[in-house]
Amino acid sequence: MAVSSCPCPKYYAAAFSPSFECRSDPCGTDQPSHGRFSCRVNSVRHGTASFLGGGMSSLILKFPPNFVRQLSTKSRRNCSNIGVAQVVAASWSDNSATGIPSAAAAGSAAIPAMPVDLIDGDEATVVEGREENELVQLEDLTNSLKYSSFLSSDGSLTIHAGERLGRGIVTDAITTPVVNTSAYFFKKTAELIDFKEKRRASFEYGRYGNPTTVVAEEKISALEGAESTLIMASGMCASTVMLMALVPAGGHLVTTTDCYRKTRIFIETVLPKMGITATVIDPADVEGLESALEKNNVSLFFTESPTNPLFRCVDIELVSKLCHSKGALVCIDGTFATPLNQKALALGADLVLHSATKFIGGHNDVLAGCISGSAKLVSEIRNLHHVLGGTLNPNAAYLIIRGMKTLHLRVQQQNSTALRMAEVLEGHPKVKRVYYPGLPSHPEHHIAKRQMTGFGGVVSFEIDGDLMTTIKFVDALKIPYIAPSFGGCESIVDQPAIMSYWDLTQSEREKYGIKDNLVRFSFGVEDFDDLKADIIQALETI
């Protein structure tokens, strides 16, 4: 088979059959990539792909329509997702100093066309001009930062990033396959040694990576404008691993008063066992932050923005400048904002964290957490993650990928509904106060207006009444579920004093700003008029 070249640096080549179709790059650009994806030229057995390296990385070869029918039963078995993924397994680690030569370093000129013979049975494929087992390096196929010249919309990125624009799984399927494997094999001990000495790429073990999970990570990186993303089993897993990885024993961090309670518990009860202390400030207390930076050797400033459940907003650009001047890192939990409403990294933060269980997954059916930022910082967190575990199952990664394809549509609807309902609630006589950054009455509205493009799909408000009056209102609602969490297609309502703080006394709850009459309402994608009518009728019952 004579192989021609095609000008797309983002796609990869696989030789499966004498007939193939080469698809050109829709962007038509010659942007450089960075090497993260390597494999060896070896034998191709039973239709499994062999990469031809160098200039061949500019091709994508499609299966002929009758390809599968031409294969023997044994061959078809060997073309399973897992088998294909093994041959194409990418390093996906964020260690740039691996000693693996990049494709650019191997020479910038395109490699001439090379004939390939596919031999049925167990005989090796001969690739003319290459020694068997010679290492080749493919250019990075999934650097999401390169997509910006082709796709300018976050909505388009949520659909195509990490998939059509470069996916490390060879398949003609539109949707990303789920690679269910706990380990990756080596054909010979020499291959294992090559891997250990960083001349060969592999995930090696399921805790260290998975092709399906990588697609979810690349999609989130594209939205956040990040070099790298690490996805884990839950948002709390992401938070705790990040804190342990970046704050040294005996170190100091700064956080804010209003935050997810389990995060506060970890900071107050677990980190002190490692000698780590914390300063807790009001989200708007810039002077408090400056004082903490002066008095302590602060490693990290970690806060939500907006916060949970009162939606306080932090001036990310300002706190990033202050912290960086003292050598401290900044991590923003942007779960309530979503990657669409707020770009924390672009505002100066070093890391952005999400509970992907919420808006990113968006269907109340999966747990996940993610951290995005520079390759260097994410690598530090990834190294500890590999030790602690907390790995995301590839089936859960698939649900995240699927959910993200409607993220821009869902968030647009939820932003609109939440803002309109916040305005309705603020004007209702049975509502004492509304907490929503999109309202001019919110204490950080000026900050939210400057650094957010939308204000999120969750509204908190205080009923004009006591605990029992508020319970009566919540129980009178017909559309939302009484449940924890938020950000899904279905509306959810909860009374934080009961849902999250019921083990504390009333006075203890109020120290954290949690009043008995506080309600947190997560708007789904139901019709606005239906939700409005439901809330109004419930208010009329009290």
Side-chain angles (χ1 to χ4, degrees):
M1 174 184 74
V3 180
S4 62
S5 65
C6 144
C8 172
K10 294 190 179 80
Y11 290 88
Y12 47 93
F16 277 96
S17 169
S19 62
F20 66 88
E21 179 181 342
C22 176
R23 186 170 65 213
S24 61
D25 182 3
C27 63
T29 60
D30 291 320
Q31 299 182 29
S33 299
H34 303 284
R36 287 178 65 192
F37 198 11
S38 65
C39 60
R40 302 180 68 82
V41 173
N42 205 329
S43 62
V44 176
R45 293 187 173 91
H46 312 301
T48 308
S50 172
F51 283 89
L52 307 182
M56 289 298 294
S57 64
S58 64
L59 294 180
I60 178 169
L61 306 179
K62 298 183 67 176
F63 295 108
N66 63 345
F67 173 71
V68 174
R69 292 194 296 271
Q70 292 176 348
L71 295 177
S72 65
T73 301
K74 180 179 178 183
S75 297
R76 286 196 296 270
R77 285 199 301 268
N78 288 344
C79 280
S80 66
N81 286 340
I82 296 174
V84 171
Q86 167 58 28
V87 177
V88 192
S91 62
W92 302 117
S93 68
D94 300 303
N95 184 359
S96 60
T98 59
I100 303 177
S102 67
S108 58
I111 294 178
M114 296 174 290
V116 179
D117 295 327
L118 294 180
I119 302 174
D120 194 19
D122 290 329
E123 296 182 63
T125 295
V126 177
V127 181
E128 191 174 296
R130 295 277 187 186
E131 297 289 337
E132 183 178 357
N133 291 324
E134 182 182 348
L135 176 69
V136 296
Q137 175 78 24
L138 277 88
E139 294 181 339
D140 183 12
L141 311 176
T142 55
N143 188 337
S144 301
L145 298 178
K146 305 302 181 185
Y147 301 158
S148 57
S149 65
F150 174 51
L151 298 178
S152 59
S153 163
D154 281 343
S156 298
L157 287 173
T158 60
I159 297 169
H160 293 299
E163 295 184 277
R164 184 170 185 174
L165 301 184
R167 175 171 64 196
I169 309 172
V170 176
T171 175
D172 274 354
I174 291 175
T175 55
T176 296
V178 179
V179 181
N180 280 314
T181 185
S182 59
Y184 304 83
F185 70 89
F186 300 88
K187 294 178 182 177
K188 301 175 184 178
T189 303
E191 289 186 355
L192 174 59
I193 293 173
D194 282 345
F195 165 71
K196 293 296 183 181
E197 296 182 355
K198 304 195 183 300
R199 294 188 299 272
R200 179 183 179 83
S202 173
F203 290 112
E204 183 188 15
Y205 187 57
R207 194 169 73 247
Y208 306 144
N210 178 280
T212 309
T213 303
V214 165
V215 171
E217 292 175 337
E218 294 291 341
K219 197 176 287 291
I220 295 167
S221 288
L223 285 180
E224 291 289 5
E227 290 180 356
S228 180
T229 292
L230 171 61
I231 195 163
M232 300 187 218
S234 70
M236 271 307 299
C237 181
S239 298
T240 55
V241 175
M242 183 275 300
L243 288 168
M244 288 190 290
L246 298 182
V247 183
H252 193 86
L253 68 92
V254 179
T255 188
T256 52
T257 50
D258 190 35
C259 68
Y260 178 52
R261 189 181 178 202
K262 292 298 189 293
T263 305
R264 180 187 293 115
I265 289 172
F266 183 79
I267 291 173
E268 292 177 348
T269 65
V270 178
L271 290 184
K273 297 177 182 179
M274 306 173 194
I276 297 172
T277 55
T279 297
V280 183
I281 62 173
D282 184 270
D285 188 2
V286 176
E287 291 182 359
L289 174 60
E290 290 176 322
S291 175
L293 291 169
E294 288 292 336
K295 294 178 181 178
N296 306 280
N297 183 18
V298 178
S299 301
L300 177 72
F301 175 62
F302 176 49
T303 184
E304 301 164 12
S305 188
T307 60
N308 181 19
L310 303 179
F311 307 110
R312 302 292 302 278
C313 295
V314 174
D315 189 332
I316 299 173
E317 186 175 8
L318 176 59
V319 300
S320 296
K321 289 179 180 178
L322 292 174
C323 290
H324 292 162
S325 69
K326 297 296 182 179
L329 299 172
V330 174
C331 179
I332 300 296
D333 183 334
T335 300
F336 277 97
T338 78
L340 301 185
N341 288 331
Q342 180 176 275
K343 306 290 187 185
L345 299 180
L347 291 167
D350 300 286
L351 294 164
V352 60
L353 182 148
H354 294 277
S355 172
T357 306
K358 311 303 192 295
F359 288 99
I360 288 178
H363 289 76
N364 293 318
D365 60 0
V366 63
L367 293 175
C370 61
I371 303 173
S372 302
S374 69
K376 180 180 181 297
L377 286 176
V378 174
S379 289
E380 292 183 39
I381 303 167
R382 191 185 299 273
N383 289 338
L384 182 59
H385 165 61
H386 287 170
V387 174
L388 297 178
T391 306
L392 187 72
N393 185 279
N395 294 280
Y398 174 83
L399 291 176
I400 294 294
I401 295 166
R402 186 201 63 179
M404 286 186 70
K405 293 187 180 184
T406 58
L407 178 62
H408 62 299
L409 302 174
R410 291 185 283 105
V411 168
Q412 182 180 33
Q413 172 78 1
Q414 289 163 312
N415 284 346
S416 173
T417 298
L419 178 58
R420 294 168 70 187
M421 275 311 311
E423 293 169 345
V424 170
L425 288 165
E426 194 170 46
H428 199 283
K430 294 184 179 180
V431 176
K432 290 182 66 176
R433 184 174 180 180
V434 179
Y435 300 90
Y436 187 69
L439 295 176
S441 59
H442 190 278
E444 284 86 46
H445 174 66
H446 62 291
I447 295 175
K449 191 175 180 180
R450 185 174 69 247
Q451 68 187 21
M452 300 179 74
T453 56
F455 303 109
V458 188
V459 178
S460 291
F461 51 96
E462 295 172 7
I463 296 295
D464 187 9
D466 58 10
L467 180 73
M468 295 309 298
T469 303
T470 308
I471 290 174
K472 186 177 181 181
F473 163 74
V474 170
D475 288 349
L477 292 164
K478 301 180 185 302
I479 293 177
Y481 292 91
I482 301 174
S485 197
F486 56 89
C489 292
E490 300 87 358
S491 288
I492 285 177
V493 67
D494 77 87
Q495 205 168 337
I498 299 175
M499 184 66 72
S500 302
Y501 291 84
W502 193 238
D503 58 313
L504 303 181
T505 65
Q506 183 183 42
S507 60
E508 288 172 332
R509 293 195 293 265
E510 289 188 351
K511 288 179 182 177
Y512 297 112
I514 307 300
K515 299 180 181 179
D516 287 349
N517 62 345
L518 181 66
V519 174
R520 191 184 72 177
F521 201 117
S522 170
F523 291 98
V525 295
E526 300 95 345
D527 181 77
F528 168 78
D529 290 331
D530 288 340
L531 288 165
K532 178 182 176 182
D534 189 29
I535 290 174
I536 296 299
Q537 68 82 23
L539 287 171
E540 290 174 352
T541 66
I542 60 176

